[in-house]
Amino acid sequence: MTADAASAPVDKAGGTALAGPPARGPRARTGASYLRYSAGKVGGAAVSLLAVLVTSFFLFRLVPGDPVKYMTGGRQVSAEQLAAYRREFGLDLPLWEQFTSYCGKALTGDLGTSYQFRAPVIDKITEALPNTLLLTGTAFVLYTALGVFLGTRSAWRHGRLGDRLNTGLALTLYSVPSFWLGLLLIIVFSVGMGPVPGLFPTGGMESGGKEGFAYTIDVAHHLVLPVVTLVAVEYGQTLLVTRSALLDEMGGDYLTTARAKGLRDDLVRRRHAVPNALLPTVTLIFVNLGRTVAGVILVETVFSWPGLGGLFYQALSVPDLPLVQGLFFVFASSVIVMNTLADLMYPLLDPRVGR
């Protein structure tokens, strides 16, 4: 008998057993764990989207106001005319029938027809979305970069004067209502106050009558104050989360080892400490990224910015139920999707997640 035969497993009858399938390696087990983890997160997101769809229908039925009376423009109309309006928009149907119709259409991408604009809701959202992305996307890039940079600097020099000033200013601005800060900036820099002349427009996205490069400069001019408002209010959250996460990592033995190897302090921070502290910051970045689609309702309203936030405020004042429901679903869906993407990235950043 050869050495290989002697070492082979033997069954109860005394014969050599057939070789079984090879054991799954660590990489295969890791891949299977990630697939199970991803399936659970995607399934949870689908359930959340369904819950948002249901909530968006019933929640805004509690808003006071009669959309039919708004559509009549305050004119004296007969009961027959009011009934005709209700039939046109399906408001005469029982609530359960309105709900099933709404869900069925929403699942096919039809969010209904706006009462006040007499246009498909999806068209109004598509029209206003680029304006919102321009405003909130620009602010998102600026306050994320500023928050991460100042957060890492404050944590690495914690307890010093610069750290105290950074965290104090961040906490102060983060607690300021965005609409109040926006109004204050309009008073000082748009209307003018004392020796400060009015430098920026009071609202809107453009002055009109301009094309080409002049149009781009005009839009950028209107963009300054709302972007400054959003950056001032939002950067503090990123700074504080980044600072806290980095402080938790600074006592790690691996940083002491890196310094003992002769690495410069700045290199230790950038290559070792910051990457290991990014997990909470990545969560916050993805949540904020989801909010760029939702826009900021109060800031867009204060600055009369023609985006999704201003459209939502306008629809809520009617109430324009299909438009409000559609916008609410888009806002919530963007946050859910971005949270799910953040969850799917966690195991790639930290292999311990999802095991």
Side-chain angles (χ1 to χ4, degrees), residues 6 93 98 110 147 158 210 223 238 252 297 301:
L93 300 175
Q98 294 183 43
D110 182 3
H158 67 283
K210 297 181 180 180
L223 197 62
T238 307
I297 297 173
T301 302

Side-chain angles (χ1 to χ4, degrees), residues 128 130-136 203-206 219-220 222-224 226 299-311:
N131 301 337
T132 289
L133 292 180
L134 175 62
L135 171 60
T136 56
M205 183 176 171
E206 57 177 303
V219 172
H222 285 75
L223 197 62
V224 171
V299 171
E300 289 193 0
T301 302
V302 167
F303 289 97
S304 303
W305 191 264
L308 294 180
L311 188 64

